[in-house]
Amino acid sequence: MKLDLNQIRQPETPFEATYAPDRFADGDQDYTVAAPVVLRLTIYKDKARVRLAGRVTTTLGLECGRCLEPYALPVEGVFDLQYVPLADAGEFAEREIGDDDMSVAFYEEETIDLRQLVDEQCYLALPMKPLCRPDCQGLCPDCGTNLNQGVCGCTRVWVDPRLDVLKTLITSDRKNDDA
Ligand SMILES: [Zn+2]
Ligand SMILES: [Zn+2]
């Protein structure tokens, strides 16, 4: 998944590739890649300076944070990245620090690692709290039944914490009565 810059001779080169999901299975990510990864981009090359602009399309497999069931998250990551040779990193940082209108990465040996680009786009697409659907009912805290799939026998009464205090008062009141 390397982009060989020696092969790029035009200032503007379209690039398209599709990678099988199992090529992304080696990492210890919080997701699985569940569909082929389609990469469509334009390579802009100005001497050593390279800009990649395009999109990554795939589907990620995630686990719902509430019911723990696996679910699919379609991803379409749009990127516009600038690359400069690692050898110029110091000079570049000095010159353009604070220039945050574009992301900058570094490349070595005339090669850009597209795997890294895809990984990054996948991470950016991850939700803060993965949910299989916005109204996921989650699991019953008592018996573990997936409440999206059916109800369990447990009595689940949502108790307002304020009412809980009241209940304690009533209970202790009863105890006093018994005494
Ligand atoms: Zn869920
Ligand atoms: Zn239950």
Side-chain angles (χ1 to χ4, degrees), residues 1-71:
M1 244 171 276
K2 307 273 186 203
L3 184 65
D4 182 0
L5 296 175
N6 289 314
Q7 306 290 319
I8 310 299
R9 308 205 185 280
Q10 312 289 330
E12 202 176 313
T13 312
F15 176 89
E16 197 175 322
T18 303
Y19 305 105
D22 58 10
R23 296 186 64 181
F24 300 87
D26 56 335
D28 53 348
Q29 313 98 321
D30 308 332
Y31 57 83
T32 54
V33 175
V37 174
V38 180
L39 195 53
R40 279 195 197 93
L41 55 92
T42 306
I43 304 157
Y44 300 92
K45 197 164 184 287
D46 177 14
K47 296 187 188 79
R49 210 174 244 258
V50 181
R51 181 179 152 215
L52 304 183
R55 60 187 64 212
V56 176
T57 315
T58 187
T59 300
L60 300 182
L62 296 177
E63 186 184 79
C64 175
R66 248 180 234 164
C67 70
L68 311 180
E69 289 293 319
Y71 74 100

Side-chain angles (χ1 to χ4, degrees), residues 64-69 71 130-133 136-138 146 148:
C64 175
R66 248 180 234 164
C67 70
L68 311 180
E69 289 293 319
Y71 74 100
L131 287 180
C132 62
R133 57 186 214 213
C136 171
Q137 300 298 303
N146 184 340
N148 297 317

Side-chain angles (χ1 to χ4, degrees), residues 51-175:
R51 181 179 152 215
L52 304 183
R55 60 187 64 212
V56 176
T57 315
T58 187
T59 300
L60 300 182
L62 296 177
E63 186 184 79
C64 175
R66 248 180 234 164
C67 70
L68 311 180
E69 289 293 319
Y71 74 100
L73 177 77
V75 168
E76 178 148 338
V78 177
F79 57 86
D80 193 336
L81 302 162
Q82 261 203 80
Y83 291 82
V84 295
L86 189 61
D88 298 351
E91 183 201 342
F92 188 84
E94 265 174 41
R95 192 154 30 94
E96 303 200 27
I97 217 152
D99 180 8
D100 55 1
D101 61 340
M102 218 176 249
S103 310
V104 176
F106 302 104
Y107 70 84
E108 266 183 299
E109 291 161 5
E110 294 299 302
T111 307
I112 290 178
D113 188 359
L114 294 176
R115 165 71 198 261
Q116 208 181 331
L117 188 155
V118 171
D119 284 352
E120 214 173 270
Q121 291 304 311
C122 290
Y123 268 108
L124 287 173
L126 293 180
M128 289 288 280
K129 187 171 172 58
L131 287 180
C132 62
R133 57 186 214 213
D135 63 341
C136 171
Q137 300 298 303
L139 302 176
C140 167
D142 293 327
C143 71
T145 296
N146 184 340
L147 299 173
N148 297 317
Q149 288 162 10
V151 286
C152 56
C154 313
T155 6
R156 291 297 307 153
V157 186
W158 185 77
V159 184
D160 188 310
R162 286 165 300 180
L163 290 179
D164 223 21
V165 173
L166 212 64
K167 214 165 67 182
T168 318
L169 289 176
I170 294 167
T171 317
S172 56
D173 223 35
R174 279 207 197 113
K175 270 186 202 142

